[in-house]
Amino acid sequence: MSGASELIVKRIRDGSVIDHIPAGRSLLVLKILGIKGDEGYRVALVMNVESRKIGRKDILKIEGRYISDSEASMITLIAPEATLNIVKNYRVVHKVRLKPPSMVRGIVKCPNSMCVSNNDPEAQPVFTLEKTDSREPSFRCIYCETRLTGSDALTELYG
Ligand code: CTP
Ligand code: ZN
């Protein structure tokens, strides 16, 4: 644990810590997880702190909510190096380096504006995993086979 971030936000008792998020992307991680703030969870968001591993990073701490590996896998779209820590009674009881999901459903739109998923309100966007590279996984649209990369997802989520 790097000392700098410890000074900013204290350790949590029970919940989830998503660590090693590329600097500045923790808001997008919350968006992918569907956490808006009105659910009532205590959320600590740490942005742009020093990391021994990746230069600068963000950390997200969500108290009282245990995020599953599969739920968290969706964030590999924009944070492929992130780790999920499950904390119980102040201890990290589960730590995983996240793996990309085999399927991404309904989180981001297809980059191809002509795609049926962008034109038929009943067709939700679905992508299957194409390449598992921890640096950047990529996906393909099941309708039009357009590739979806992390930077496509970022563009869309920032919008
Ligand atoms: N953490 C927390 N509350 C706890 C325990 C841990 O908020 N009760 C946070 C730490 O601040 C850290 C992350 O969970 O951001 C992982 O904790 P730990 O495994 O102790 O840190 P490191 O060994 O530095 O983890 P890594 O090797 O994954 O960098
Ligand atoms: Zn498509």
Side-chain angles (χ1 to χ4, degrees):
M1 167 81 236
S2 70
S5 47
E6 185 118 84
L7 289 175
I8 297 170
V9 177
K10 66 180 194 302
R11 299 172 90 76
I12 63 170
R13 181 185 172 134
D14 296 291
S16 307
V17 177
I18 299 166
D19 202 350
H20 307 294
I21 301 167
R25 294 190 185 169
S26 50
L27 282 169
L28 301 182
V29 169
L30 278 179
K31 201 166 177 179
I32 288 181
L33 293 174
I35 296 171
K36 297 196 188 77
D38 58 3
E39 299 86 0
Y41 301 112
R42 268 166 71 179
V43 175
L45 200 145
V46 183
M47 292 178 104
N48 301 317
V49 294
E50 295 73 18
S51 157
R52 274 166 295 172
K53 289 176 193 161
I54 56 171
R56 289 192 171 248
K57 67 172 182 181
D58 285 10
I59 309 169
L60 206 51
K61 303 190 183 194
I62 306 157
E63 290 200 64
R65 169 102 139 72
Y66 298 118
I67 292 170
S68 69
D69 293 6
S70 61
E71 191 182 359
S73 70
M74 296 300 160
I75 73 172
T76 60
L77 263 174
I78 60 154
E81 316 258 299
T83 50
L84 169 66
N85 299 271
I86 300 296
V87 176
K88 289 188 178 162
N89 202 18
Y90 292 104
R91 292 224 167 79
V92 175
V93 295
H94 177 62
K95 182 192 285 280
V96 284
R97 171 81 183 273
L98 297 173
K99 288 201 196 75
S102 54
M103 210 172 257
V104 174
R105 194 186 290 272
I107 292 174
V108 281
K109 287 192 290 193
C110 179
N112 168 15
S113 63
M114 304 295 282
C115 178
V116 62
S117 65
N118 286 317
N119 295 284
D120 178 349
E122 289 186 0
Q124 72 165 336
V126 181
F127 302 87
T128 52
L129 182 64
E130 174 190 51
K131 183 165 64 80
T132 316
D133 176 341
S134 70
R135 283 177 50 238
E136 187 174 334
S138 66
F139 298 85
R140 288 231 182 234
C141 175
I142 62 161
Y143 306 103
C144 71
E145 297 189 354
T146 296
R147 175 181 285 148
L148 177 81
T149 62
S151 48
D152 295 324
L154 276 177
T155 308
E156 151 112 28
L157 289 162
Y158 273 124

